[in-house]
Protein backbone atom coordinates (compact mmCIF):
# COMPACT_ATOMS: atom_id res chain seq x y z
CA UNK A 1 0.00 0.00 0.00
CA UNK A 2 2.69 2.45 1.03
CA UNK A 3 4.95 1.29 -1.79
CA UNK A 4 2.21 1.91 -4.33
CA UNK A 5 1.80 5.42 -3.02
CA UNK A 6 5.53 6.02 -3.27
CA UNK A 7 5.63 4.76 -6.86
CA UNK A 8 2.65 6.95 -7.69
CA UNK A 9 4.40 10.03 -6.28
CA UNK A 10 7.58 9.25 -8.22
CA UNK A 11 5.63 8.82 -11.44
CA UNK A 12 3.77 12.08 -10.87
CA UNK A 13 7.03 13.94 -10.28
CA UNK A 14 8.62 12.48 -13.40
CA UNK A 15 5.58 13.28 -15.53
CA UNK A 16 5.47 16.79 -14.10
CA UNK A 17 9.13 17.37 -14.92
CA UNK A 18 8.74 16.00 -18.43
CA UNK A 19 5.66 18.12 -19.04
CA UNK A 20 7.43 21.20 -17.76
CA UNK A 21 10.37 20.49 -20.05
CA UNK A 22 8.19 19.94 -23.11
CA UNK A 23 5.52 22.57 -22.72
CA UNK A 24 7.28 25.32 -20.86
CA UNK A 25 9.32 27.88 -22.72
CA UNK A 26 12.90 26.79 -22.35
CA UNK A 27 14.69 29.71 -20.85
CA UNK A 28 16.39 27.50 -18.32
CA UNK A 29 17.99 25.04 -20.72
CA UNK A 30 18.80 27.09 -23.83
CA UNK A 31 21.70 29.05 -22.40
CA UNK A 32 22.84 30.13 -25.82
CA UNK A 33 22.39 33.75 -26.80
CA UNK A 34 22.45 35.93 -23.68
CA UNK A 35 25.80 35.60 -22.03
CA UNK A 36 25.60 37.83 -18.95
CA UNK A 37 23.15 37.04 -16.18
CA UNK A 38 20.86 39.93 -15.18
CA UNK A 39 22.44 40.23 -11.75
CA UNK A 40 24.81 43.00 -12.79
CA UNK A 41 22.58 45.87 -11.70
CA UNK A 42 25.12 47.29 -9.30
CA UNK A 43 27.76 47.34 -12.03
CA UNK A 44 28.71 50.74 -13.31
CA UNK A 45 28.97 50.99 -17.06
CA UNK A 46 32.12 52.78 -18.12
CA UNK A 47 33.57 53.68 -21.49
CA UNK A 48 36.73 52.29 -22.97
CA UNK A 49 38.92 55.28 -23.98
CA UNK A 50 40.60 53.20 -26.68
CA UNK A 51 37.82 51.47 -28.61
CA UNK A 52 34.89 53.47 -27.21
CA UNK A 53 32.55 50.69 -26.16
CA UNK A 54 30.68 50.61 -22.87
CA UNK A 55 31.24 47.73 -20.49
CA UNK A 56 30.76 46.91 -16.76
CA UNK A 57 33.53 48.18 -14.56
CA UNK A 58 33.75 44.81 -12.83
CA UNK A 59 35.33 43.29 -15.94
CA UNK A 60 37.56 46.25 -16.63
CA UNK A 61 41.31 46.20 -17.07
CA UNK A 62 42.68 49.04 -14.95
CA UNK A 63 45.71 51.09 -15.93
CA UNK A 64 47.32 53.30 -13.34
CA UNK A 65 48.46 56.56 -14.83
CA UNK A 66 50.23 59.19 -12.81
CA UNK A 67 47.17 61.28 -12.00
CA UNK A 68 44.26 59.02 -12.98
CA UNK A 69 43.17 55.41 -13.42
CA UNK A 70 41.97 54.38 -16.87
CA UNK A 71 39.70 51.38 -17.46
CA UNK A 72 39.80 49.29 -20.62
CA UNK A 73 37.55 46.51 -21.89
CA UNK A 74 40.48 44.20 -22.50
CA UNK A 75 44.23 43.94 -22.17
CA UNK A 76 44.52 44.39 -25.94
CA UNK A 77 42.94 47.82 -25.70
CA UNK A 78 45.17 48.73 -22.77
CA UNK A 79 48.27 47.65 -24.66
CA UNK A 80 47.17 49.52 -27.77
CA UNK A 81 46.59 52.64 -25.70
CA UNK A 82 49.98 52.28 -24.06
CA UNK A 83 51.71 51.65 -27.38
CA UNK A 84 50.08 54.68 -28.96
CA UNK A 85 51.00 56.95 -26.10
CA UNK A 86 54.53 55.66 -25.67
CA UNK A 87 55.20 56.01 -29.41
CA UNK A 88 54.11 59.64 -29.25
CA UNK A 89 56.45 60.47 -26.41
CA UNK A 90 60.03 60.01 -27.79
CA UNK A 91 59.58 62.33 -30.75
ZN1 LIG B 1 38.32 48.26 -25.79
Amino acid sequence: MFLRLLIFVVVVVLVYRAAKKWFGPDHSLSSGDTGAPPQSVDDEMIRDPECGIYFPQRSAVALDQRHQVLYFCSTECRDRYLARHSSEAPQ
Side-chain angles (χ1 to χ4, degrees):
M1 184 66 186
F2 179 73
L3 192 69
R4 264 183 82 175
L5 186 72
L6 194 74
I7 291 171
F8 176 73
V9 168
V10 168
V11 168
V12 166
V13 167
L14 286 177
V15 167
Y16 174 74
R17 277 194 189 171
K20 209 174 159 191
K21 202 170 165 184
W22 287 333
F23 297 120
D26 47 341
H27 12 309
S28 59
L29 289 172
S30 70
S31 59
D33 32 6
T34 55
Q39 64 183 8
S40 55
V41 182
D42 56 328
D43 261 351
E44 199 184 340
M45 296 298 279
I46 52 174
R47 190 168 177 271
D48 188 318
E50 178 63 28
C51 66
I53 68 163
Y54 285 88
F55 60 98
Q57 189 173 6
R58 189 178 51 182
S59 61
V61 179
L63 171 66
D64 257 309
Q65 297 286 61
R66 281 182 211 91
H67 42 270
Q68 63 174 337
V69 180
L70 294 170
Y71 293 101
F72 298 92
C73 70
S74 62
T75 51
E76 286 95 55
C77 282
R78 185 199 58 190
D79 292 344
R80 233 183 305 162
Y81 179 89
L82 278 175
R84 216 176 46 177
H85 281 248
S86 63
S87 65
E88 279 174 6
Q91 294 176 342

